[in-house]
Amino acid sequence: MGGGGRRRGRTRSDDAELGAAVAGAQGGDERAFAVVYRLVHPGLLAQTRSLVGTEAEDVASEAWLEIARDLGRFHGDGAGFRGWAATIARHRALDHLRRQKRRPRTVGLDQEALELPGGQDTAEAALEFLSTRRALQLIATLPREQAEAVLLRVVAGLDGAAAGRVLGKRPGSVRTSAHRGLRRLARGMEGERDRS
């Protein structure tokens, strides 16, 4: 179970802090693990919520148990850790859905899910024009594949390759899904501005 390597493309401003915290947590530092949790949990919870809805807290807890258990086997940087944790969370969510014998569904996101990485990018530009409530409503209307790609790329801050590993798809396919989802959000935003 390793992740890591260098990622191309966008980086999150807290990747270096996360990488240092992961190293500390691997050495047994409980405070460092608390930093890891604080930096990763909001995106992880949003990801699980998009798949399992109201049972997201339970699924995220299962994911954190696995993350804590296998932390010593992780090798990589902060960005790699985000991808590794997202993969574990997705597997726990899919296991949960199999147990429940139902299909994944896209549901609304909470405020924490909209705390986007710094820097002006397409997603941030599209979402800043919408009220939080309306943004959540629009994201919930995206097809599941697009919503999941937007969540991993924008909310969790993963690059195309890492998001592709999480979803079991090619990076280009994930980037395309995220782009289409963001384009849909932008069209929704334009429609709202025209009606205002």
Side-chain angles (χ1 to χ4, degrees):
M1 295 214 168
R6 299 180 74 66
R7 44 175 219 180
R8 293 179 293 185
R10 188 176 74 203
T11 60
R12 288 185 57 140
S13 59
D14 56 7
D15 279 349
E17 180 184 6
L18 178 57
V22 167
Q26 287 176 318
D29 184 341
E30 291 179 20
R31 287 184 183 171
F33 190 84
V35 170
V36 170
Y37 184 86
R38 176 181 55 80
L39 293 173
V40 175
H41 185 68
L44 196 107
L45 184 59
Q47 175 192 2
T48 57
R49 187 166 287 131
S50 75
L51 293 169
V52 300
T54 59
E55 297 156 343
E57 290 281 348
D58 293 338
V59 172
S61 294
E62 289 177 25
W64 278 108
L65 287 172
E66 186 172 339
I67 290 166
R69 182 192 72 206
D70 295 340
L71 185 61
R73 296 192 306 195
F74 171 77
H75 300 287
D77 59 7
F81 183 83
R82 279 185 210 285
W84 182 70
T87 300
I88 290 171
R90 184 168 193 268
H91 288 163
R92 295 299 63 78
L94 295 177
D95 288 347
H96 176 79
L97 292 170
R98 279 187 214 99
R99 286 191 304 268
Q100 299 297 318
K101 295 188 185 206
R102 60 183 179 165
R103 301 182 73 152
R105 66 188 189 283
T106 302
V107 296
L109 304 175
D110 59 16
Q111 176 60 36
E112 292 176 50
L114 291 177
E115 293 178 10
L116 304 174
Q120 190 70 9
D121 60 19
T122 305
E124 188 173 317
L127 291 176
E128 75 183 18
F129 289 101
L130 299 170
S131 70
T132 300
R133 182 173 305 262
R134 186 63 189 137
L136 296 176
Q137 290 170 346
L138 285 173
I139 291 171
T141 66
L142 293 174
R144 184 180 61 83
E145 185 175 299
Q146 291 176 10
E148 200 166 12
V150 168
L151 279 168
L152 291 172
R153 299 270 295 150
V154 177
V155 178
L158 301 181
D159 65 8
R165 285 191 297 274
V166 171
L167 297 173
K169 298 183 180 216
R170 288 189 216 140
S173 174
V174 174
R175 283 190 293 268
T176 299
S177 291
H179 177 74
R180 287 179 179 156
L182 293 172
R183 203 168 56 208
R184 251 185 199 202
L185 290 175
R187 279 195 306 267
M189 177 189 71
E190 288 172 8
E192 288 203 357
R193 262 191 286 173
D194 291 345
R195 286 187 291 271
S196 296

